[in-house]
Amino acid sequence: MHHRLVPPAGPRAIARALLFASFTLLAPNFAPRASATVQAVSIDPAAPTLCDSVRLIVGGYLPAPCYTIRGFRVGAPEPLPTMGPIPTYRIRALVRAEEPDPATQPNCVTVIEPYRLARELGRLPFGNYWVEAREYLYPFPADSASSPIDSSLVRFDFFVGPDSCRAGAGCALFGFAEAGTGIEPRVGCTARTLPGGRACFDVTLANDTPVGAFQTAVAIPTGGGAFVADFPNLIVPVEVTATPRAAGFQVAWARDETRTKIVLYSTTGAVLQPGRGPVLHLCYDVKEGTPEGSYSIGFGPTLVSTPVGDVIPLCPTFAEIQGRLCVGEGGCDLNGDGVGNIRDILRLVRCVLQDSSDFCPDSVRAHADCNGDDHVDVRDIVCCVRKTLLSDAGWGPFSPVASGFSSDLSAVRFEGPVEPVSSDAARATVAIDRGPSFGGVQFMLDAGTAARVERVSFDDPSRLSSFDWQPLADGRARVMIYNLGPTVETTGDASGSPSTSLATARVFVTLRRNTFATDEGYLALDTVRGATNTGDVLSFAGGVYQTPLPTAYPPAAPAILPARPNPFISDTEISYSLPSAASVSVRVFDVRGRLVRTLQDGPSDAGVQRLRWDGRDDMGRTASVGIYFVRFDAGNTLQTQRILRLR
């Protein structure tokens, strides 16, 4: 049984529909190309609050009616380790499709077969949500050992607003966002500019009760190598305005050394209704001579008022509210496209090795001296590789495969499954098939919240490529591989004919499983970008860019898992993991050490077990707002977790 979805009417969808329709008309028995195509994600309602039950909807296409959807799984919201006051969660949706049985359906007519899948998520905690919907296409017959032959990915984000169905003063949350987008970056720069340029960003407000006015201060403290005495004259505020959400309000502001003091008020009775979004737009002039680097943006003393003058408290946070103002290119931009990436590294390698006007004209040489010693040599290659790996600018979202197929034989793919090597570690292999024009590749390794990339190594039988990688604080890692010279290895095949392709290189990835992960997750190759030997764009001839993580690891010690949600209002889920059956005690204590609730005291089966605390004590009375401690006792394991109950 297939779930149907009316295809979206965008230009790409229309073009794809016409293409498939032409195949159907001209060749009714044409064998469909094996492809996985998830296209859209949405939620209902479109702007949910804590009061709403949320429904997730995933839509896409199958190549033909004889293809089958074998499974649809949606994971529970996973908290992400974001720096900011608003909690962020990731929801992963997985669609599993299967090719037809060639024995029973040898002639499968190519007709687009839309599908629409839905899953009830229920009420979700307050915060930002990032949805990743992936479709894997498996060959027939598929079993647990089968590897997908194609995959596709769609990302979608939404926000669950404050609780509008109950009365109360509530609280307010401030944050920083990219100008005009409302997006609060998980990592990287809130705003970027060059010395002598202008940097702009927005201040956001999330409030669950009407706001009549507020005052705050935005501070950019000294840092990035600037002298303390000169800093206030290097990054200077020039504009503070109200955004459309704050229509009817007036803004007064003044500069005070490294702080910008701001008051938002109304003389006409305007009110900021409950919601979330930008309320202020700020711009700074970054003067010539400002040292390149990353400058933190923070809030000073802040006061929020209701329309009648009552104070609205700031919401409790688990991390400092902070943005980043980045000054500089963020990499070695030799080709002038605004970012430093693998294409620029290849141009720099040619510039160093050949030092001719063809490969190293003045326009390139001007940006090639990374270490500033007036020479372009191998030290600048190392400098630019490190600078590119550490910068966010060259790692933005882009398509891993260009339209159509390249005549080049280069491809990037996972080789074999991810294999567990211990109770909390696994190993994956990424193969890089290098064609005649291969010059280099860069990509991101991302295991979500299920695991962290702990170590990356490289094996190149041809010894013609160099390798470097950079771990990130959130558990991901950036990888860069590039040819050391313009010469392409020539080898003979079984017939004696020469081959102009390099031998396959391999990247070995060691992953450390998150102790608190409750879902097996996946490992993805994100932001894949290639370069030819001359630094031009290299498109890859397909590849496998996602692979599931192991579903089972060797036994580990018992452990309590993070409560979800935490903080919570009405109830929270408390889970634990056992490698084998054991007697378990789970109790909730208050800050004075008094027993509030016994959730479990007795035998438990192996695996992940979930308990729910409804905020009541053992007598059925509602517990007061505040901090509580969950004590988990299983065998020789004794662990404690802090949880916070809000009103």
Side-chain angles (χ1 to χ4, degrees), residues 598-645:
T598 299
L599 298 177
Q600 180 168 339
D601 188 15
S604 176
D605 294 333
V608 176
Q609 309 298 331
R610 295 175 172 84
L611 306 173
R612 183 161 294 277
W613 184 38
D614 59 5
R616 298 179 182 274
D617 63 16
D618 283 331
M619 302 296 293
R621 297 169 299 195
T622 300
S624 60
V625 173
I627 296 173
Y628 293 86
F629 295 92
V630 179
R631 174 171 168 163
F632 169 74
D633 192 348
N636 296 324
T637 299
L638 178 61
Q639 296 176 346
T640 302
Q641 178 181 159
R642 187 177 74 168
I643 57 178
L644 174 62
R645 185 171 187 270

Side-chain angles (χ1 to χ4, degrees), residues 433-597:
D433 303 320
R434 298 171 294 178
S437 60
F438 177 87
V441 64
Q442 69 179 56
F443 53 82
M444 187 91 74
L445 292 164
D446 185 0
T449 58
R452 299 176 59 87
V453 178
E454 185 175 79
R455 187 171 63 254
V456 181
S457 59
F458 182 59
D459 177 42
D460 175 19
S462 68
R463 299 184 180 179
L464 290 177
S465 291
S466 186
F467 155 83
D468 206 343
W469 74 288
Q470 177 65 40
L472 301 181
D474 60 3
R476 298 179 299 166
R478 294 168 177 164
V479 176
M480 182 175 289
I481 298 166
Y482 56 94
N483 282 0
L484 295 173
T487 305
V488 178
E489 179 186 86
T490 301
T491 59
D493 59 20
S495 64
S497 302
S499 170
T500 58
S501 296
L502 292 168
T504 296
R506 289 174 175 83
V507 173
F508 302 110
V509 184
T510 299
L511 300 162
R512 185 66 59 185
R513 184 169 64 120
N514 185 346
T515 305
F516 305 116
T518 58
D519 192 36
E520 61 269 19
Y522 59 87
L523 177 63
L525 294 175
D526 283 340
T527 63
V528 181
R529 177 170 286 181
T532 66
N533 273 305
T534 57
D536 294 324
V537 175
L538 174 67
S539 59
F540 294 101
V544 177
Y545 293 93
Q546 298 93 23
T547 187
L549 293 178
T551 57
Y553 289 80
I560 190 171
L561 309 179
R564 298 178 178 179
N566 185 20
F568 71 99
I569 296 174
S570 58
D571 60 303
T572 185
E573 182 181 87
I574 299 171
S575 306
Y576 59 87
S577 176
L578 294 177
S580 59
S583 180
V584 173
S585 170
V586 180
R587 292 181 170 92
V588 180
F589 295 85
D590 63 16
V591 292
R592 295 184 179 181
R594 296 175 300 190
L595 177 63
V596 176
R597 182 74 174 269

Side-chain angles (χ1 to χ4, degrees), residues 178-411:
E178 298 174 6
T181 67
I183 298 174
E184 299 165 343
R186 175 173 55 157
V187 294
C189 305
T190 311
R192 179 186 290 278
T193 189
L194 298 174
R198 177 169 291 189
C200 298
F201 57 88
D202 292 339
V203 170
T204 64
L205 172 66
N207 56 297
D208 60 0
T209 192
V211 170
F214 67 77
Q215 67 181 50
T216 188
V218 175
I220 303 181
T222 57
F227 292 105
V228 174
D230 295 335
F231 186 85
N233 300 318
L234 294 177
I235 302 180
V236 181
V238 294
E239 179 185 349
V240 181
T241 57
T243 66
R245 185 184 176 214
F249 283 81
Q250 295 174 277
V251 176
W253 66 280
R255 175 189 174 192
D256 178 18
E257 293 295 330
T258 60
R259 297 193 305 173
T260 305
K261 296 180 177 179
I262 306 169
V263 176
L264 184 78
Y265 64 98
S266 174
T267 59
T268 61
V271 173
L272 283 170
Q273 295 298 334
R276 170 186 175 272
V279 290
L280 294 173
H281 178 74
L282 284 73
C283 289
Y284 287 76
D285 277 349
V286 179
K287 303 297 184 181
E288 293 285 357
T290 303
E292 295 191 9
S294 177
Y295 298 84
S296 63
I297 311 169
F299 288 107
T302 301
L303 179 64
V304 186
S305 170
T306 67
V308 296
D310 295 328
V311 173
I312 301 175
L314 298 180
C315 299
T317 64
F318 296 97
E320 181 184 358
I321 306 168
Q322 193 176 78
R324 308 298 299 180
L325 191 157
C326 300
V327 178
E329 292 178 345
C332 295
D333 182 19
L334 274 68
N335 59 11
D337 63 359
V339 294
N341 53 42
I342 186 64
R343 294 176 57 199
D344 301 288
I345 300 301
L346 265 298
R347 287 179 180 265
L348 179 55
V349 170
R350 302 297 166 260
C351 184
V352 170
L353 292 177
Q354 303 193 18
D355 195 22
S356 67
S357 58
D358 291 338
F359 289 94
C360 205
D362 291 341
S363 60
V364 171
R365 186 176 291 274
H367 299 281
D369 185 15
C370 180
N371 60 6
D373 63 356
D374 296 326
H375 297 282
V376 178
D377 53 31
V378 68
R379 289 174 295 180
D380 296 297
I381 297 176
V382 176
C383 175
C384 275
V385 168
R386 297 310 306 163
K387 193 172 184 179
T388 301
L389 285 170
L390 290 170
S391 168
D392 299 315
W395 299 83
F398 34 74
S399 174
V401 183
S403 300
F405 289 95
S406 169
S407 58
D408 193 281
L409 302 178
S410 298

Side-chain angles (χ1 to χ4, degrees), residues 57-83:
I57 303 166
V58 176
Y61 296 99
L62 296 176
C66 50
Y67 284 65
T68 306
I69 292 179
R70 291 298 186 189
F72 177 50
R73 187 181 67 187
V74 178
E78 304 171 33
L80 296 178
T82 54
M83 290 293 293

